[in-house]
Amino acid sequence: MNILTENTLSILPADLIQKAKKMSKAYEYLYCIENLLRDFIDKHPNRILLNFSSEVQKSIRVRKNEEQKHNWISLRGNSDLFYIDFKDLADVISNNWDYFKDNFPSQIWIKAKLEDLTKIRNLIAHNSYIDSDDLSLAKVHFNTIARQISGNKNICFVSQPTDNIVGNFFVEGLSKSKLWTYGQVSDGIEYLFYFPATIDVAPILLRAFYYQVSIAFYIVYENCKILLNPSFNTSREYEECKNLEFLNKNVQFQIGFHDIDKDGLEELFICAKDQTREFIKDGMVINVFKYYPPAFKRHSGRAENWDLVGDFKCWEEKAYVKESSITIPRNLRGFYYEWTFVKGEFRDTGYH
């Protein structure tokens, strides 16, 4: 049960409840990454060869002795890794770098991130409030470390997201597909990316929210963010009045991935549909963005990293993405729209 919704807490100030919700999210990131790292180290192929410093060994002994005196408290775990401090995980990795050097880009890479997370963890442990920047940093480090660990061939701890059930979407064939109402996107949504760990400069997530007069879409990196400009051809009249009842009932957004050009790196699809054509004049719109990973992190903020390689508009119920083609049946004597990605561009291959 979520205690933040219990009637008994109605006497608490509203801002305290909101801060508690944000802190609970921060705790989720820290809990998951800390225990993911413990599992990663404990199940490493060279686990029996790892050496713990004398200070870490002492800490393990002290905590085990204390645990035996307080039988009413839950056990930490069945491994010594669960009896050491979070900050010591970095030392375990550094002191045994010969065994971990193939798992992380460098000692500095993992140590710096764990030092940042340790500071945030200490604030959470003392029920101190962390601001949005610290929460974003925790989220970025969580995703970066989890993605790095998931890329290790011999060790698998992170479950990749499963595709939603086919049939729920107006664009079928996309992987990691998610669907939202206009109101959800307007209030703010985040869509996590799962780029391969082999991509040195990979974005963390896509963030969308209502800003000034329209929905804004941002690609978020560890050190910056980029504004994307998908084309929706919306009616300014409905955008400005924000008739949410109408928009929530009739307008949907869908985001997913598909490797349309077959280069091994999936393209980003940002799609929208309005069954009335009052808000989105074309009814259904499919935007396809290709990502060109920069060589250096300092180039993450360059707009040319993302290219809108195709935007397709039509008034039909469903679209299908398969292989290198986007196909939209017209339900008229076998006619269909189709665009196929060939030699760096989409070509019209439909039957009109």
Side-chain angles (χ1 to χ4, degrees), residues 163-217:
D163 297 343
N164 290 359
I165 299 173
V166 174
N168 290 343
F169 305 111
F170 55 89
V171 179
E172 294 191 1
L174 301 180
S175 67
K176 312 171 191 66
S177 210
K178 298 292 182 182
L179 197 67
W180 296 272
T181 66
Y182 178 93
Q184 290 172 321
V185 177
S186 181
D187 290 340
I189 58 101
E190 291 186 345
Y191 175 84
L192 292 178
F193 290 152
Y194 293 87
F195 280 91
T198 53
I199 302 298
D200 292 331
V201 184
I204 305 300
L205 54 86
L206 181 145
R207 180 176 294 145
F209 54 91
Y210 188 87
Y211 180 69
Q212 293 184 345
V213 296
S214 63
I215 302 292
F217 292 84

Side-chain angles (χ1 to χ4, degrees), residues 7 11 14 22 48 114 144 166 171 174 180 202 210 240 260 264 269 277 307-308 319 335:
N7 293 331
I11 60 174
K22 179 180 288 188
I48 60 174
L114 293 185
T144 304
V166 174
V171 179
L174 301 180
W180 296 272
Y210 188 87
E240 290 179 344
I260 200 77
F269 283 65
R277 301 178 70 178
D307 183 21
L308 180 62
F335 293 160

Side-chain angles (χ1 to χ4, degrees), residues 323-339:
E323 299 297 332
S324 296
S325 297
I326 300 172
T327 306
I328 304 176
R330 295 183 61 188
N331 299 316
L332 175 66
R333 293 180 294 185
F335 293 160
Y336 58 89
Y337 299 108
E338 185 176 77
W339 300 272

